[in-house]
Amino acid sequence: MLFWIIPLIVVVILIIIFKPFKEFFIERNREPLPKEYTGIQPLDEHYNSPDFKVSLLYTVQVSSAASPNPIRIFPSVNNQLIVYCDAQKDEDTKADYQYYKFNNKGVITDSLYIKYDGYWAEFIDDFIMYTHEKGEYYTTWPLNGDTTKKVIPVVNADFHLSEKEMDGLISTSISGSKYYFYKFYVEEGTYIRKFFWYKDQKWTVLYQKVSAYDDIPDELSAGRYRKTVFSSGESDPYLPDNVEMRYFYPEEKMDYAHIIGGGQGGFKVYNWRGKGFFRTHIGGKELDFRVDNLATEKERFDNYKLRLYAVRERNSSAENFRPAFYHSVYGYSFYSPVGDKIYLITKK
């Protein structure tokens, strides 16, 4: 019997010598959680509070690698906020979008599903502009919920105007226009630039044939009229300004990895994982919440700023964690702790 027991003992001794002791055991904290934090809950749709209602607004299926900010919010007309979400469920829906309007009470007043059919949708205050190399139209859904397609009159559809005439028309049209922007297309080898403007309560578009590809700068694009104020999947691991970390309770010390990416590999950390306790303010009231499976780090390279990471299990790759909120001036809030979810928080 000794002929196999002795080699086994030798193997075990060698493993212990050459592998760190911490690889085999997780160090655990024996101190109890302070009583003042025992009743604090995770912040999700099951959050029970006399002051707040938490609803899971939308869950997307797009991976963070494909779309790092799949849920976004921007202000609109009529004191509204519009939430728009990547609606991908499969290959056929990968370019579709779902939109929701929220009034100043945090209530959804309308929704719109835009299925991509070759037209690109751009929100400009009262309007959604739908543009394509084959044509263009707009609706007034942001203003009044109307999805009727309204045709945009075209100037120079047959490209008969000279360059001087077009430059003069553009210069005159910009003067006094509330909105204007360019789009660029390549159609069957022909380069076409389209100039859109809104003046005297009317949209018009000028077609221009140009000799080469033309990048439209941001300051002349339709996108400059929409300001995104909040996005899911905010990637940095730092605490937002509108959130306070009240306490970190260490539970177990373990190995986990940081993956750098870009071909640079990564590195391991031996650190405490536990529960984080946070506070934010919504409509003048305190909202406390708990985050599980959390690790915190501070290093010299960023002046010892607190960094937060989600660690699912031992020897796994840590993920940046940011408890991100957008607090509306009307007293309701949106919360997105991960890229694929967004919650609505309203006062009861």
Side-chain angles (χ1 to χ4, degrees):
M1 179 184 271
L2 291 176
F3 76 91
W4 63 268
I5 293 179
I6 293 175
L8 179 60
I9 293 173
V10 171
V11 169
V12 171
I13 292 172
L14 290 174
I15 290 174
I16 292 174
I17 290 172
F18 290 103
K19 284 186 74 69
F21 188 74
K22 59 186 173 65
E23 291 282 343
F24 298 96
F25 300 97
I26 297 177
E27 184 180 346
R28 301 193 184 278
N29 179 19
R30 303 301 178 187
E31 295 295 324
L33 176 68
K35 288 184 179 179
E36 63 188 290
Y37 299 106
T38 55
I40 297 178
Q41 311 160 65
L43 188 55
D44 56 24
E45 65 271 31
H46 306 297
Y47 191 84
N48 185 18
S49 164
D51 298 321
F52 301 102
K53 178 183 178 181
V54 182
S55 306
L56 178 59
L57 174 63
Y58 202 78
T59 301
V60 298
Q61 297 186 18
V62 180
S63 71
S64 59
S67 180
N69 306 114
I71 306 170
R72 283 140 287 178
I73 299 173
F74 61 91
S76 183
V77 294
N78 300 330
N79 298 319
Q80 301 168 151
L81 287 174
I82 292 181
V83 177
Y84 65 117
C85 314
D86 291 354
Q88 178 177 346
K89 298 291 188 295
D90 50 38
E91 189 66 20
D92 291 336
T93 58
K94 67 180 182 180
D96 297 354
Y97 283 91
Q98 175 73 59
Y99 295 85
Y100 300 96
K101 282 184 195 173
F102 285 81
N103 67 12
N104 57 14
K105 294 183 179 2
V107 175
I108 298 176
T109 60
D110 201 356
S111 64
L112 176 67
Y113 189 96
I114 296 181
K115 181 158 187 67
Y116 179 71
D117 58 359
Y119 283 79
W120 188 255
E122 302 271 12
F123 281 69
I124 301 179
D125 288 347
D126 296 357
F127 312 101
I128 305 180
M129 310 297 296
Y130 293 85
T131 59
H132 188 272
E133 62 264 27
K134 300 293 185 183
E136 45 277 322
Y137 63 92
Y138 70 90
T139 75
T140 55
W141 181 80
L143 176 67
N144 53 23
D146 188 359
T147 57
T148 304
K149 296 180 180 180
K150 298 173 176 62
V151 176
I152 300 175
V154 178
V155 176
N156 199 36
D158 58 359
F159 306 110
H160 70 280
L161 294 178
S162 68
E163 186 172 339
K164 183 178 179 180
E165 288 172 317
M166 288 187 292
D167 289 344
L169 178 57
I170 291 172
S171 178
T172 302
S173 300
I174 288 177
S175 177
S177 288
K178 188 173 183 179
Y179 314 108
Y180 62 90
F181 64 92
Y182 287 91
K183 286 286 184 178
F184 186 87
Y185 302 99
V186 180
E187 185 179 356
E188 298 179 353
T190 300
Y191 300 114
I192 298 173
R193 184 171 58 205
K194 297 184 180 182
F195 172 69
F196 295 80
W197 73 96
Y198 184 73
K199 192 173 185 179
D200 299 327
Q201 300 185 331
K202 185 179 72 171
W203 280 104
T204 312
V205 58
L206 169 68
Y207 286 10
Q208 298 174 275
K209 190 181 292 185
V210 293
S211 59
Y213 183 83
D214 187 12
D215 266 327
I216 304 300
D218 290 344
E219 61 269 21
L220 295 177
S221 71
R224 76 186 190 276
Y225 293 109
R226 188 188 67 208
K227 180 185 178 184
T228 298
V229 296
F230 187 69
S231 299
S232 69
E234 294 189 13
S235 60
D236 76 61
Y238 299 106
L239 199 62
D241 292 338
N242 57 11
V243 180
E244 168 196 357
M245 186 171 189
R246 298 180 61 204
Y247 183 68
F248 176 73
Y249 175 65
E251 293 181 302
E252 56 265 324
K253 203 169 188 180
M254 61 177 63
D255 278 309
Y256 57 85
H258 286 297
I259 306 301
I260 298 175
Q264 299 183 55
F267 59 93
K268 276 195 171 185
V269 176
Y270 187 55
N271 189 22
W272 287 100
R273 183 183 75 167
K275 301 182 187 300
F277 296 87
F278 299 87
R279 172 174 289 170
T280 191
H281 292 81
I282 298 176
K285 290 190 174 183
E286 295 175 347
L287 183 146
D288 293 329
F289 62 100
R290 186 185 85 226
V291 175
D292 298 331
N293 299 324
L294 189 73
T296 66
E297 296 181 19
K298 292 182 179 180
E299 300 291 343
R300 180 184 298 175
F301 76 88
D302 59 358
N303 295 317
Y304 299 99
K305 289 177 63 178
L306 177 68
R307 300 192 311 280
L308 305 173
Y309 299 98
V311 180
R312 308 302 174 191
E313 57 187 20
R314 184 172 64 136
N315 290 319
S316 65
S317 175
E319 301 170 9
N320 291 356
F321 178 78
R322 182 175 171 87
F325 288 84
Y326 177 75
H327 296 317
S328 162
V329 296
Y330 300 109
Y332 66 90
S333 298
F334 294 98
Y335 172 57
S336 181
V338 290
D340 62 354
K341 287 184 176 66
I342 190 167
Y343 295 88
L344 172 67
I345 305 174
T346 55
K347 290 193 299 182
K348 289 184 176 178

